[in-house]
Amino acid sequence: MESFVADNLEYYAETQGVLPSRLEEFGETYRDQGYLTRDQLYEIAYESSTRSAYHVETNPEKRCRTVTENVLSVEDDFSKIHLLTGLSGFKAPAASCVLAAYDPDRHAVVDTRVWASLERLDYLEGRKESFDADDYVTMIGPIREVAAETGYSAAEVGYALFAYDDKVRDGTLH
């Protein structure tokens, strides 16, 4: 599995996936401030999904700060994702970007491609097109297993899974 992650991480740069360097910047800001502003959340959402990012601007600034502060005080992954998806413009994939930015060792960016790769590798069953907090928990378990086996971070495993689907998928994404 270590070579799988290494090979697909190398390929990731050729995909349309979220830029790891951008997430690292957001993570540094989040860790330093202890919260994210609406503008910062917009930038993260834009990285994840340019089409729905504009919804983030409808969130009150104070709510953005409060929610992202509260995420840091909650232990379980379901609650973290659920809090973030309470903000307009944030579904589980965009919320996973926030968590992966803050703590790449424990969290990964997840989406349809990551689910499909986990299914292809027999970690999950069934096809999935949209995700909620429970689905994030379902995906992050095997992602963390692979991370522990290989020495890569959960975020790196997520990028590798995304790249693998990009490489092997026949036809369109949806």
Side-chain angles (χ1 to χ4, degrees):
M1 203 59 182
E2 193 171 332
S3 64
F4 170 88
V5 175
D7 293 346
N8 286 292
L9 268 178
E10 191 173 313
Y11 178 76
Y12 185 80
E14 297 177 39
T15 72
Q16 299 291 314
V18 172
L19 290 173
S21 60
R22 289 288 287 148
L23 280 191
E24 287 172 25
E25 291 171 25
F26 295 131
E28 283 179 34
T29 300
Y30 196 3
R31 287 186 295 276
D32 290 347
Q33 292 176 170
Y35 63 86
L36 292 169
T37 66
R38 182 178 52 220
D39 289 345
Q40 291 162 340
L41 285 170
Y42 173 85
E43 288 183 49
I44 293 172
Y46 190 83
E47 283 289 318
S48 174
S49 174
T50 55
R51 289 174 292 163
S52 61
Y54 73 95
H55 292 292
V56 175
E57 295 174 329
T58 65
N59 292 299
E61 176 66 35
K62 184 171 178 12
R63 182 176 303 151
C64 292
R65 289 177 184 232
T66 301
V67 167
T68 56
E69 279 177 0
N70 289 344
V71 164
L72 301 181
S73 66
V74 174
E75 287 300 314
D76 75 299
D77 299 326
F78 178 89
S79 296
K80 287 177 183 288
I81 292 288
H82 198 69
L83 275 169
L84 289 166
T85 57
L87 294 169
S88 295
F90 277 85
K91 293 185 178 164
S96 73
C97 287
V98 174
L99 297 182
Y102 184 79
D103 188 355
D105 288 332
R106 293 201 38 77
H107 295 282
V109 177
V110 300
D111 68 354
T112 305
R113 288 190 181 282
V114 173
W115 182 282
S117 290
L118 288 168
E119 181 191 18
R120 265 189 209 95
L121 298 168
D122 294 324
Y123 285 99
L124 301 176
E125 287 184 25
R127 193 169 176 177
K128 203 86 161 125
E129 294 287 328
S130 62
F131 305 99
D132 60 17
D134 191 51
D135 297 318
Y136 179 80
V137 172
T138 299
M139 285 186 273
I140 201 64
I143 289 170
R144 287 179 180 150
E145 282 177 36
V146 173
E149 282 174 29
T150 62
Y152 285 97
S153 70
E156 290 169 321
V157 171
Y159 298 139
L161 291 166
F162 180 97
Y164 176 65
D165 183 71
D166 185 76
K167 195 187 309 183
V168 302
R169 180 181 291 267
D170 287 330
T172 60
L173 189 54
H174 299 284

